[in-house]
Amino acid sequence: MIATPIPQQAGLGRLVREIRAEADRARATPAPELTFTLWRRFADTGDRLAYERAYFERRRRLAALFLAAHLDGRPDPALDDLLWSVCDERTWVLPAHESQDRPGEAFVDLFAAETGHTLAEAAVLLDGLADPRVLARVREEVDRRVLRPLYADPAPMWWESARHNWPAVCAGAAGMAALALGSPHLPALLPRLRGAMEAFLSGAGRDGACLEGPDYWTYGFGYFTYFAEALCEHTGENLLDDPHVREMAAYPARIDLGDGARPAFADAHGEGGYPLGLLCRLSGRLGVPLPVRTGEPSFHDDPCYRWAHLSRTRTCRTPRSWWPGRTAPPSPPRAGTTTSRTTTSTSATSCCAGTGGRCSTTSARPSTPATTSARAATRCPTPRRNGTPSR
């Protein structure tokens, strides 16, 4: 497979410019090393930031180089080197997250799972752009560090029964990695991942409220949504078609105070936005109301530079899957004909059309009560059962 450049989409010019500027910086300056001195700081002094600053700078560079290569359809030796270097890292788990009862390679934390997801999609999307020896190693490391601890060891990790963002992020990112790579261990993995997602959903109120605040709604529910869409495309199973999920999807609009303000509680800031790709997908798929977003998306919206948020925003203005060249599954029936008692029906194009990154809900209309089948029994028509994200 040879990559072709992605055409630039309206309203994302700032993001594209910043991606290219960050990629230029990554090529011109050396990436920080994750040294033993940095790693030991948390255990010795309780300082977690010294290691994490270097760690997330490396992920920032990886996201920029990966997105730039995907945008331009050109090989990049700097990206090959950084992918290889990430595979050389002693662990993808943060020191502050290391398990006390599992060896390092037997535990998956938030950022090991996120790294695995990024690299798994790199192994697919960079076919023809990156050196095949690099991509072969990437596949091996994702399996060894993220997937194998979940399919080879039946003992559950502590987060699998937690009722906050961890199960959604860890299971969602690991699941997307397995789906992207077409892992032969999916039959063993999927029941475990579904169980973790059920634990995550149980932590939200019946009204969909996220007790961790809007920033962690973005984190946990974002990864739940990304995984749900990947699962739907590959297997036809539709985790989004559920009354409780619709209530959770409507949460940002319900707490929106206007002009980017929202209640500052739990771990949330009083001002902030949400990934445009996530908002557009929820509007298009579920017809929920959304907070009005003004201004174009930026590469720097997420200080951790998560591939999931950046890549889904980069492709949010196409009426297709998150990955151009792939046909999206047909949307389930909208609110008003299916499940939710409180959501609204919004045109998908009203969210994604126009310029300047503005996401609005001007065509919203109240829904009417209805019912739906359970998540596990709901199917997306015409699934791509053995596909992977495409260019």
Side-chain angles (χ1 to χ4, degrees), residues 350-363:
S350 73
C351 180
C352 293
T355 60
R358 185 178 180 85
C359 198
S360 65
T361 56
T362 55
S363 64

Side-chain angles (χ1 to χ4, degrees), residues 59-76:
R59 299 305 184 265
R60 171 179 177 170
R61 291 163 177 260
L62 178 60
L65 290 170
F66 185 179
L67 285 164
H70 193 235
L71 278 166
D72 299 332
R74 291 199 302 267
D76 187 345

Side-chain angles (χ1 to χ4, degrees), residues 161-188:
S161 59
R163 302 175 69 219
H164 48 62
N165 66 89
W166 272 68
V169 176
C170 294
M176 286 188 286
L179 290 165
L181 296 178
S183 172
H185 302 286
L186 276 170

